[in-house]
Amino acid sequence: MRQFDLAIVGAGIMGLAHAYHAANAGLRVAVFERDAFADGASRRNFGMLALVAQSPGRQLRSAERSLACWQDLARNANVALHQAGCLFLARTPEELSVMSECQNASSTQDARFELVPPDALPDHAAVLNPKRALGGLWSPDAWKVDQRLAMGQIAGWLQSAHSVAFFTQTEVLGIAEGIVETSGGTFKAGHTVVCGGDEFGTLFPDAFRHAQVGRCRLQMMRTRPQPKGWRLPPFLLGGLSLTRYEAFAACPSLPQLKAHQEKNRPDHMAHGIHVILAQEADGSVTIGDSHAYDGNWSAESSDEIDRLILEEALALVDLPEPEIAERWIGHYAHLSGEDALIVRPDPNVTLVTMTNGQGMTHGFAVAEDVIRTVFD
Ligand SMILES: Cc1cc2nc3c(=O)[nH]c(=O)nc-3n(C[C@H](O)[C@H](O)[C@H](O)COP(=O)(O)OP(=O)(O)OC[C@H]3O[C@@H](n4cnc5c(N)ncnc54)[C@H](O)[C@@H]3O)c2cc1C
């Protein structure tokens, strides 16, 4: 029977982040992935390492530690990573007030925000039409990875540079007393970390039920490639994001903005819509997203939600090629007020699930702490 120091269930970013730290610590690691490649949340997202969205202190430190690992992977594993920055556009005085408060507060904290007058918006993205906005808030603290390629690149490098064993199309069926039963045979492992994303129903369902973790469902889409030369370098966000991100939680006029949005944008608020646009390397623009919680959704994606997302996106920027080429649904685990759920249902097993919808941003820091705790 093949034997490893660490078995990992799932080859999404959380599984790979654990494999990265364990392999760096010299452990013998095996990763088991049910599908031919990880097709969960880790490749259905914006590829945004959103330091900009974090509250100062512990949360920001965690995102910074993770970023250092991504930078290491960019150097060594050829993972495409660049500092895109992030621009929030204000279209109402209420949004502008929150942005202005955020800039004032950032001079005393470690976040970096700069208020941008309308006529300076094209300095950050030449394609923006200053007449559409009252101003903007710029932060350099957002990095873009190619989410469609990164998991494969990291897995390939872990395999070739660190001899991490990958078993794809291999479902883990059960784990008990150091034995990992899979659809491809039985393995021995000193410890097993389960990084199955929002999969709670199979392995250790009781542990997840006790933790009362839920699921969030998001609608996303991507345009055809924009014409050559049309570039949107930063992540572009609107005012709806201000009421979702921790970075703005301490702004005194945030409650007024929230009340304004609830009165004037009830449909967007009801579907948890806040809009992010991210241009991909091939010129296409990824646009999202909506948030529905705990099964409160129908099986199909909703045209109405797509329409609301696009309406908001096109109010932020004129896309020369607005035709949507791809639509998809993503899911992640959700637990109010918690960034990650870490449970040890058995001395030899740890379950690790990001619960704040920001596994790309925090995953490597969370995994580093788990590996340190387990292997001392
Ligand atoms: C639409 C959307 C947008 C997002 N945008 C961002 C963003 O821009 N920035 C950010 O930081 N975060 C973002 N997130 C959140 C981030 O994508 C997730 O937190 C992260 O990808 C979770 O990673 P994971 O490895 O836990 O889960 P997943 O990527 O879902 O991977 C879990 C893997 O486990 C496998 N698996 C499960 N059970 C088994 C089993 N029994 N045996 C074998 N394999 C198994 C699955 O097949 C799957 O491949 C977004 C999420 C979504 C859905």
Side-chain angles (χ1 to χ4, degrees):
M1 194 187 302
R2 287 188 74 180
Q3 187 164 346
F4 296 92
D5 300 316
L6 177 67
I8 295 171
V9 182
I13 193 59
M14 296 309 294
L16 297 181
H18 284 82
Y20 169 86
H21 288 296
N24 275 334
L27 300 172
R28 287 168 305 153
V29 182
V31 178
F32 298 92
E33 168 55 51
R34 170 193 289 146
D35 292 324
F37 58 91
D39 188 31
S42 302
R43 68 186 294 274
R44 291 166 181 256
N45 56 48
F46 295 95
M48 182 182 192
L49 310 184
L51 278 70
V52 59
Q54 312 306 314
S55 58
R58 187 191 55 79
Q59 224 185 27
L60 184 57
R61 293 282 92 79
S62 157
E64 286 170 345
R65 279 169 57 206
S66 270
L67 173 63
C69 300
W70 280 106
Q71 287 169 330
D72 179 49
L73 287 165
R75 277 189 302 273
N76 293 312
N78 228 5
V79 170
L81 169 75
H82 71 276
Q83 186 168 13
C86 179
L87 186 65
F88 297 84
L89 285 189
R91 292 189 294 128
T92 69
E94 289 80 5
E95 291 169 358
L96 198 58
S97 294
V98 169
M99 291 183 191
S100 161
E101 290 163 4
C102 182
Q103 176 191 249
N104 294 340
S106 76
S107 57
T108 57
Q109 295 167 344
D110 41 10
R112 295 183 288 169
F113 285 106
E114 178 196 321
L115 210 54
V116 185
D119 58 355
L121 289 172
D123 297 347
H124 294 286
V127 295
L128 291 182
N129 176 352
K131 289 199 194 103
R132 283 185 180 269
L134 301 180
L137 187 68
W138 162 256
S139 166
D141 293 326
W143 277 256
K144 176 86 176 88
V145 295
D146 190 328
Q147 68 282 30
R148 289 178 286 181
L149 297 180
M151 300 311 121
Q153 291 169 328
I154 298 171
W157 179 76
L158 285 170
Q159 213 164 358
S160 60
H162 285 285
S163 304
V164 172
F166 278 81
F167 300 89
T168 52
Q169 293 180 295
T170 306
E171 177 161 9
V172 173
L173 305 169
I175 308 155
E177 294 170 7
I179 302 295
V180 181
E181 293 287 353
T182 81
S183 56
T186 304
F187 298 80
K188 256 187 162 177
H191 197 90
T192 302
V193 177
V194 179
C195 299
D198 65 317
E199 166 81 53
F200 316 134
T202 50
L203 305 168
F204 304 98
D206 288 347
F208 286 112
R209 203 173 304 122
H210 284 134
Q212 298 196 318
V213 61
R215 292 172 87 214
C216 178
R217 178 195 203 255
L218 303 89
Q219 273 187 218
M220 299 278 289
M221 57 192 111
R222 187 172 290 126
T223 67
R224 293 184 185 287
Q226 300 300 316
K228 263 205 160 47
W230 191 95
R231 291 300 300 160
L232 180 64
F235 291 97
L236 185 64
L237 293 85
L240 292 167
S241 302
L242 302 174
T243 44
R244 288 198 73 91
Y245 283 164
E246 289 291 322
F248 303 101
C251 293
S253 68
L254 198 69
Q256 283 96 298
L257 174 59
K258 200 160 190 187
H260 185 267
Q261 290 176 343
E262 268 155 13
K263 182 158 177 249
N264 296 288
R265 323 290 300 282
D267 295 338
H268 289 83
M269 296 298 273
H271 293 295
I273 291 171
H274 78 126
V275 169
I276 304 177
L277 294 99
Q279 192 170 26
E280 306 295 344
D282 64 2
S284 63
V285 178
T286 301
I287 307 175
D289 51 14
S290 59
H291 297 76
Y293 294 94
D294 299 333
N296 190 17
W297 55 69
S298 63
E300 300 79 30
S301 71
S302 148
D303 286 351
E304 171 65 1
I305 290 178
D306 282 355
R307 188 190 66 71
L308 290 166
I309 293 173
L310 269 180
E311 176 191 296
E312 176 75 6
L314 296 174
L316 298 179
V317 67
D318 291 321
L319 292 172
E321 178 50 270
E323 196 179 329
I324 298 301
E326 298 171 61
R327 295 170 201 271
W328 68 96
I329 302 272
H331 289 104
Y332 59 66
H334 167 73
L335 192 56
S336 202
E338 298 293 335
D339 290 338
L341 174 68
I342 300 170
V343 186
R344 207 144 168 187
D346 174 304
N348 298 324
V349 178
T350 308
L351 316 179
V352 184
T353 307
M354 289 306 297
T355 52
N356 63 359
Q358 296 188 44
M360 301 291 276
T361 305
H362 291 280
F364 284 97
V366 171
E368 184 175 21
D369 293 343
V370 170
I371 295 298
R372 278 218 183 111
T373 306
V374 170
F375 293 96
D376 199 12

